[in-house]
Amino acid sequence: MSPQPTTAPTAKEQGARESLTITDNRTGKTYEVPISAGAIRAMDLRQIKTDADDFGLMTYDPAFMNTASTRSSITYIDGDKGILRYRGYPIEQLAEESTYLETAYLILNGELPTAAQYQDWEYKILHRTFLHENIKTHMEAFRYDAHPMGMFISSVAALSTYYPDSAQISDPESRLIQIIRLIAKVPTLAAFSYRHHRGLPYVYPDNDLSYTGNFLRMLDMMTQVKYEPDPVKARALDVLFILHADHEQNCGTNAMRAIGSSHVDPYSAMAGAAAALYGPLHGGANEEVLKMLTQIGNIKNVPAFIDKVKKGEGRLMGFGHRVYKNYDPRAKIIKRTADQVFRTTGVNPLLEIALELERIALQDEYFVSRKLYPNVDFYSGLIYQAMGFPVAFFPVLFAIPRTVGWLAQWVEMLQDPDQKIARPRQLYTGYDARPYVPLYARGNGHA
Ligand code: ACO
């Protein structure tokens, strides 16, 4: 018998402990801190003190670059391999086979619905799409050219005044009603904000249509007796909604959890999450991509633009990601969806420039060595523009599907015994105590 190859035993096989030994060089003392799931608990560092009066060691981590703020079983991302999964299901399969409402059920409940569960869920959502008439009046009061995202955020917050029962955040039944209301009503709020922005009369929902078919009708309906949503556009929106449904602890979701941790109602918390999404570094990046492509203007200007980016004069918008160091899996799917949309709408003339940018960047040492690949925003703006949406509406189109992610993460936070009110520490850098100086004694300048 030939000898079996041997490998050196791993540290674990040798009986190594799952812990970290820390020596505090200030005192010479040594501490052993347990490691669990690849992390240590920051609170375990508090015992590390120079003397009894010392507060104890903290970690300093602005922007949460290396801090897990929660355990979560909703969304998994492997940024190096370009993997995104909801509840274990690959995003590619969901985008191919599922619908947004089915994916929303999965994200909230952890399992795909049975046929009966799906029918019940879909019925409940599609029959709660109407808004109280006073919400409409409230929205009508916005300035004629109000930004749709500002209208959306304020109207989501206003919903809490219509549903005071939503303060019962510990009651699972009440939570479920608010979740159904929010998922059902966000397309109506979004469509009203869009019609307002364009100076058009608001269109009421049609509950016989699908989630995205009804949304398209509320956006586009003019004088038709019967509006038939374009199936290609409705499916493309459904796919885009699936891709944007959740993305673990991003800026908006972190805001949802932090605000929700004070036990405020979900409408108020979600208004805060949507406000976080509004920023150009988050849900507003696809708008920046369109501006950049328009500014480049012609495919022949692409090499000069790339050279400027490499010299540090501006960024290639829609490229790079804090977590993905590989092709963003959502960008791949969006690129395919764009081809289908362009077949019915005609090709967006900016697409040629985008493709050339991508072609050059993916073989250029600057982008390759920094692992900069197209992210979700690189192509989504092109589809939205081809579908006729104004740029100002893009963040609203992101907020509609993200609603379910925010709500699933909110429920997970409320049910997690490890969670408390979110309240970070700070490293104080200001003055020590100093006596108050009365106004008459302050002179002309600062003391
Ligand atoms: N174009 C050119 N260079 C870039 C880009 C880019 N888009 N992104 C990063 N780099 C470079 C940086 O200059 C830096 O280079 P250096 O090491 O020589 O200094 C290196 O790559 C690392 O960049 P960081 O800024 O440290 O990476 P970080 O993880 O903090 O930033 C971010 C991620 C904000 C997404 C960044 O890549 C970026 O600004 N991209 C453009 C904006 C964008 O598309 N945002 C959408 C993100 S997806 C979403 O939020 C839904």
Side-chain angles (χ1 to χ4, degrees):
M1 232 171 77
S2 57
Q4 293 296 307
T6 54
T7 48
T10 63
K12 204 168 184 180
E13 284 161 355
Q14 285 177 320
R17 293 193 301 277
E18 282 292 296
S19 66
L20 180 73
T21 300
I22 302 168
T23 303
D24 183 348
N25 293 323
R26 300 170 301 176
T27 59
K29 281 194 197 160
T30 296
Y31 304 82
E32 187 171 347
V33 175
I35 297 176
S36 170
I40 60 164
R41 282 187 175 254
M43 278 303 287
D44 284 344
L45 302 179
R46 191 70 78 72
Q47 59 182 312
I48 303 177
K49 301 179 177 203
T50 47
D51 56 50
D53 292 336
D54 185 359
F55 180 76
L57 203 64
M58 290 194 285
T59 55
Y60 175 57
D61 189 11
F64 299 118
M65 294 285 288
N66 195 37
T67 294
S69 62
T70 186
R71 295 167 190 269
S72 181
S73 61
I74 300 173
T75 291
Y76 174 79
I77 301 177
D78 183 328
D80 289 327
K81 297 198 181 115
I83 293 174
L84 170 62
R85 296 181 200 133
Y86 299 151
R87 302 288 190 182
Y89 293 101
I91 191 68
E92 294 79 5
Q93 290 177 24
L94 292 170
E96 192 67 40
E97 316 260 355
S98 185
T99 62
Y100 173 68
L101 282 189
E102 185 186 62
T103 299
Y105 183 100
L106 168 72
I107 288 175
L108 277 167
N109 298 288
E111 296 296 338
L112 287 164
T114 62
Q117 285 167 333
Y118 182 71
Q119 213 180 352
D120 177 57
W121 169 246
E122 188 187 42
Y123 182 89
K124 282 182 177 144
I125 300 287
L126 296 183
H127 287 79
R128 286 205 188 245
T129 52
F130 273 69
L131 298 171
H132 192 290
E133 276 298 287
N134 289 166
I135 278 276
K136 196 179 117 216
T137 321
H138 168 97
M139 293 184 81
E140 279 166 351
F142 277 98
R143 199 172 188 270
Y144 71 95
D145 61 349
H147 194 290
M149 191 62 173
M151 289 182 70
F152 180 85
I153 293 167
S154 326
S155 308
V156 168
L159 285 181
S160 80
T161 65
Y162 292 80
Y163 304 115
D165 58 316
S166 64
Q168 310 303 319
I169 53 118
S170 309
D171 174 0
E173 260 181 55
S174 168
R175 283 202 302 256
L176 182 59
I177 292 170
Q178 316 314 327
I179 288 170
I180 291 172
R181 282 181 179 145
L182 268 164
I183 295 174
K185 292 178 200 310
V186 284
T188 317
L189 289 178
F192 282 13
S193 71
Y194 173 86
R195 303 282 295 198
H196 186 92
H197 187 69
R198 306 200 70 174
L200 295 169
Y202 300 179
V203 175
Y204 286 63
D206 178 344
N207 293 348
D208 286 337
L209 294 174
S210 69
Y211 192 73
T212 49
N214 169 52
F215 180 52
L216 283 174
R217 179 181 170 277
M218 291 189 289
L219 298 176
D220 293 341
M221 175 91 169
M222 295 303 280
T223 54
Q224 303 91 320
V225 177
K226 179 89 184 132
Y227 177 93
E228 298 287 350
D230 177 338
V232 175
K233 280 191 191 172
R235 178 61 195 157
L237 260 192
D238 218 32
V239 171
L240 286 160
F241 282 5
I242 291 170
L243 300 183
H244 288 90
D246 192 50
H247 211 229
E248 52 121 302
Q249 307 311 313
N250 56 84
C251 179
T253 302
N254 185 53
M256 181 80 192
R257 281 178 170 264
I259 301 170
S261 77
S262 75
H263 289 183
V264 72
D265 69 86
Y267 302 97
S268 303
M270 203 182 107
L277 185 72
Y278 194 3
L281 292 187
H282 193 7
N286 49 18
E287 179 175 348
E288 298 302 316
V289 172
L290 274 195
K291 280 191 208 154
M292 173 189 77
L293 295 176
T294 312
Q295 189 198 331
I296 296 173
N298 191 301
I299 191 168
K300 71 176 180 351
N301 301 329
V302 168
F305 180 81
I306 294 267
D307 280 347
K308 275 171 73 177
V309 170
K310 285 162 64 176
K311 279 190 219 138
E313 299 167 21
R315 288 201 158 188
L316 178 49
M317 297 311 287
F319 259 67
H321 196 277
R322 173 62 62 75
V323 180
Y324 292 119
K325 300 301 169 199
N326 201 325
Y327 213 105
D328 181 338
R330 300 169 300 172
K332 268 190 207 152
I333 301 167
I334 291 193
K335 205 172 160 187
R336 273 206 311 273
T337 311
D339 290 339
Q340 287 151 14
V341 171
F342 295 156
R343 256 180 251 142
T344 62
T345 60
V347 173
N348 187 326
L350 298 178
L351 177 69
E352 203 190 9
I353 301 173
L355 288 171
E356 183 63 1
L357 274 175
E358 180 184 326
R359 191 187 68 77
I360 296 186
L362 290 185
Q363 58 193 24
D364 189 296
E365 199 277 331
Y366 175 94
F367 296 91
V368 173
S369 64
R370 288 170 179 77
K371 299 187 175 170
L372 300 171
Y373 293 87
N375 60 48
V376 69
D377 290 313
F378 194 63
Y379 289 105
S380 63
L382 290 175
I383 304 191
Y384 292 148
Q385 197 181 50
M387 289 170 90
F389 298 127
V391 169
F393 197 52
F394 292 1
V396 182
L397 288 166
F398 197 152
I400 297 171
R402 187 51 61 82
T403 298
V404 72
W406 288 328
L407 292 167
Q409 301 265 355
W410 170 69
V411 172
E412 191 177 63
M413 180 271 302
L414 290 175
Q415 291 179 332
D416 180 350
D418 271 359
Q419 295 294 335
K420 292 170 181 289
I421 187 164
R423 205 312 185 178
R425 293 278 172 181
Q426 66 166 11
L427 303 179
Y428 177 69
T429 58
Y431 288 108
D432 270 344
R434 50 187 182 150
Y436 177 78
V437 181
L439 185 58
Y440 65 82
R442 281 177 223 163
N444 291 328
H446 292 288

